Amino acid sequence: KGMFKMEESIKWYTEALTVVTQIFGPDHPEVGHVHWNLALAYQTKGEVDAQKRNLGWHNSWPFKFFTGATKKRLIHEGDDFEKMDKHLHHAFDVFVRRLGEDHISSQRATEAVMALRELSRD
């Protein structure tokens, strides 16, 4: 019932970002984690919205089994891509600067930024 209520999640994460930034400052790892969660929320929202726009042919057999090639294109359509990009890069900058390159959060953010670059080249 509560799945994919991304607008609501984004609202709450945005509110959390304001509070956490006021408490810890913009370069604190906790703020980075909220940016990370916002990036994931925007990515999911973009994917869900893209699926809704393209629900016709691409959910019918046999296409639903071969969406790997088209999913890449669907993920980064719309304004949500730019918002995801902004929050992901902020999280990446904070993690690497404050936690170091070897920290798991920094490594995950690095992988995500590299994947984002691949999507941007399509």
Side-chain angles (χ1 to χ4, degrees):
K1 184 177 179 178
M3 287 182 61
F4 301 115
K5 291 187 175 182
M6 301 318 299
E7 292 292 341
E8 190 175 335
S9 327
I10 290 168
K11 179 187 126 197
W12 287 110
Y13 279 126
T14 302
E15 212 171 292
L17 181 63
T18 301
V19 172
V20 174
T21 302
Q22 288 173 347
I23 293 170
F24 295 111
D27 292 332
H28 193 276
E30 287 301 322
V31 175
H33 286 290
V34 177
H35 276 286
W36 175 264
N37 290 333
L38 263 167
L40 293 177
Y42 278 114
Q43 176 189 7
T44 303
K45 181 180 178 297
E47 289 175 353
V48 170
D49 291 350
Q51 287 291 340
K52 286 178 184 175
R53 282 193 304 274
N54 296 293
L55 204 54
W57 66 270
H58 145 211
N59 257 358
S60 61
W61 191 92
F63 298 107
K64 66 182 178 181
F65 298 106
F66 301 104
T67 57
T70 59
K71 186 175 182 188
K72 204 176 203 185
R73 176 60 50 202
L74 293 175
I75 289 171
H76 66 300
E77 290 180 351
D79 295 333
D80 296 322
F81 181 76
E82 286 80 21
K83 294 173 185 174
M84 177 187 67
D85 181 51
K86 176 186 117 182
H87 290 291
L88 177 60
H89 277 87
H90 188 96
F92 171 78
D93 291 341
V94 169
F95 293 156
V96 170
R97 189 170 47 251
R98 295 295 301 271
L99 301 175
E101 292 178 3
D102 293 335
H103 193 275
I104 188 69
S105 295
S106 300
Q107 291 175 357
R108 287 182 179 155
T110 300
E111 291 173 7
V113 167
M114 291 170 62
L116 191 65
R117 286 183 185 151
E118 288 297 315
L119 286 175
S120 298
R121 281 197 270 175
D122 286 351

